[in-house]
């Protein structure tokens, strides 16, 4: 497999902080950075616009640790699991470049691949291959394809744990989840109902919405834009902001960075855990685009 795929003047494998290799993609449509560590998109800037993704200035860029910000790829479990890395091993694994193409319209499509090593096999049952396809254009499209290559049913959870850059989360609203049910991580995982109105942020928020397939819209009057998060193959949406105390407790997140981010994560968690038949594949697809307001 060619691990040195490049498109001269458009996409090159460069060295990011702490020596971690990353793809740097620059076209008239947009700019993006994608690390092999975690298949992590850390940067997406459509032409003449502000960055769409939030990155913490305190992020560590080290093997074995997740990058804080951008889009961590969560697989095969979501959240803490005693004795194992939080949010699974995909985001701290080294992925392999599989293909890199530029479409006639100028979009660049990078595909990375992950197969389990012995450690991953010991941490999660089943045989699988992941392909993560990122399309960089005026929109950013991310597709996580999970292929069950084993002879047993594969159970797994996934999310594209996207950190969005906002001017001040206290002035932001997230719509698309009106009336949905969610588990409140901050209230003993009680199942609650989102009222028929958008989410607004007045404190730490950590909610796992289930059975939700609609697009979400992040309305940010400060940056005068709307970010539209469209998805398919995803039944859950996680909404998270750590607010003050949790920010201080996170070593790789600045104490005062919380107003400038909100996570709206598309995936399949809890009641929506994936069950993939032998030989079958599942694709969780998320498209991010912005509109001026
Ligand atoms: C969110 C969870 O998805 O990720 C939160 O709902 C968690 O509970 C957050 O704090 C960050 O997790 P981590 O492992 O990256 O610190």
């Amino acid at each position: 497999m060619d691990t040195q795929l490049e498109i001269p003047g458009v996409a090159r494998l460069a060295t990011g902080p702490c020596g971690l290799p990353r793809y740097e993609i620059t076209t008239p449509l947009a700019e993006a950075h994608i690390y092999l560590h975690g298949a992590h998109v850390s940067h997406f800037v459509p032409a003449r616009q502000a960055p769409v993704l939030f990155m913490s200035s305190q992020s560590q860029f080290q093997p074995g640790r997740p990058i804080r910000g951008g889009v961590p790829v969560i697989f095969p479990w979501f959240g803490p699991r005693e004795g194992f890395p939080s949010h699974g091993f995909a985001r701290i694994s080294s992925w392999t470049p599989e293909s890199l193409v530029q479409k006639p319209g100028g979009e660049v499509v990078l595909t990375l691949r992950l197969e389990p090593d012995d450690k991953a096999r010991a941490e999660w049952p089943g045989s699988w291959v992941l392909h993560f396809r990122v399309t960089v254009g005026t929109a950013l499209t991310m597709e996580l394809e999970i292929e069950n290559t084993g002879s047993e049913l594969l159970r797994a959870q996934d999310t594209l744990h996207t950190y969005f850059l906002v001017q001040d989360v206290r002035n932001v609203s997230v719509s698309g989840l009106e009336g949905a049910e969610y588990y409140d991580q901050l209230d003993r995982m009680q199942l609650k109902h989102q009222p028929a109105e958008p989410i607004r942020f007045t404190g730490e928020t950590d909610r796992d919405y289930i059975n939700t397939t609609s697009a979400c819209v992040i309305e940010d009057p400060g940056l005068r834009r709307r970010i539209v998060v469209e998805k398919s193959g995803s039944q859950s949406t996680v909404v998270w902001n750590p607010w003050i105390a949790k920010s201080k407790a996170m070593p790789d997140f600045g104490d005062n960075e919380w107003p400038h981010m909100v996570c709206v994560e598309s995936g399949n968690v809890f009641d929506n855990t994936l069950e993939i038949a032998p030989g079958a594949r599942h694709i969780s697809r998320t498209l991010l685009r912005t509109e001026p307001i």
Side-chain angles (χ1 to χ4, degrees):
M1 188 178 298
D2 184 356
T3 53
Q4 292 294 324
L5 302 170
E6 303 210 338
I7 303 173
V10 173
R12 66 183 191 117
L13 192 55
T15 303
C18 302
L20 287 189
R22 72 180 183 198
Y23 270 94
E24 295 180 352
I25 297 172
T26 310
T27 75
L29 303 176
E31 201 181 275
H33 297 165
I34 303 153
Y35 285 82
L36 301 187
H37 179 68
H40 196 119
V41 182
S42 63
H43 178 77
F44 171 60
V45 189
R48 294 173 298 281
Q49 291 186 37
V52 173
L53 303 174
F54 164 89
M55 262 303 299
S56 171
S57 62
Q58 302 301 306
S59 177
Q60 297 162 353
F61 291 90
Q62 282 172 14
R65 292 183 180 278
I67 294 169
R68 178 71 69 190
V71 190
V73 175
I74 309 304
F75 174 90
W77 65 84
F78 174 81
R81 184 174 168 223
E82 212 178 323
F84 296 95
S86 161
H87 283 330
F89 43 72
R91 67 174 177 167
I92 51 173
S93 297
S94 183
W95 292 58
T96 307
E98 192 171 57
S99 72
L100 178 67
V101 292
Q102 186 163 28
K103 297 197 325 200
E107 296 102 336
V108 175
V109 186
L110 173 66
T111 307
L112 303 177
R113 174 188 177 96
L114 183 69
E115 291 189 45
D117 57 13
D118 290 345
K119 194 163 174 289
R121 276 193 201 92
E123 291 186 357
W124 197 254
S127 295
W128 45 265
V129 179
L130 302 184
H131 303 272
F132 189 55
R133 248 183 319 277
V134 182
T135 303
V136 179
T138 51
L140 179 73
T141 307
M142 297 174 285
E143 292 164 284
L144 179 64
E145 180 179 317
I146 307 166
E147 182 183 353
N148 182 355
T149 53
S151 52
E152 309 275 328
L153 191 71
L154 175 68
R155 288 196 171 78
Q157 300 181 327
D158 69 340
T159 62
L160 299 177
H161 190 312
T162 311
Y163 289 71
F164 292 99
L165 178 71
V166 295
Q167 199 217 34
D168 188 332
V169 74
R170 290 164 290 196
N171 300 326
V172 158
S173 67
V174 175
S175 56
L177 298 166
E178 295 82 343
E181 286 185 316
Y182 65 93
Y183 292 107
D184 190 345
Q185 298 236 21
L186 303 175
D187 191 8
R188 297 168 289 121
M189 290 303 274
Q190 285 203 68
L191 190 60
K192 299 186 176 175
H193 241 99
Q194 174 68 30
E197 54 193 51
I199 304 169
R200 294 199 166 271
F201 299 86
T202 55
E204 186 181 352
T205 304
D206 198 348
R207 302 177 180 178
D208 308 315
Y209 288 84
I210 51 167
N211 306 323
T212 59
T213 53
S214 324
C216 287
V217 178
I218 303 167
E219 186 103 6
D220 182 358
L223 290 180
R224 295 176 179 214
R225 73 177 175 193
R226 214 173 267 138
I227 302 175
V228 183
V229 183
E230 293 173 6
K231 62 176 189 165
S232 63
S234 154
Q235 304 245 45
S236 315
T237 304
V238 179
V239 178
W240 179 59
N241 181 282
W243 220 253
I244 300 165
K246 187 154 187 177
S247 297
K248 289 191 175 147
M250 291 194 292
D252 59 346
F253 189 87
D255 291 358
N256 301 315
E257 289 182 324
W258 61 269
H260 308 303
M261 56 73 67
V262 64
C263 283
V264 176
E265 314 169 28
S266 306
N268 299 282
V269 301
F270 301 109
D271 306 33
N272 305 130
T273 296
L274 295 169
E275 296 196 338
I276 306 171
R281 31 184 104 204
H282 174 87
I283 300 178
S284 297
R285 178 176 176 276
T286 302
L287 180 147
L288 315 179
R289 60 184 172 82
T290 62
E291 294 171 355
I293 52 176

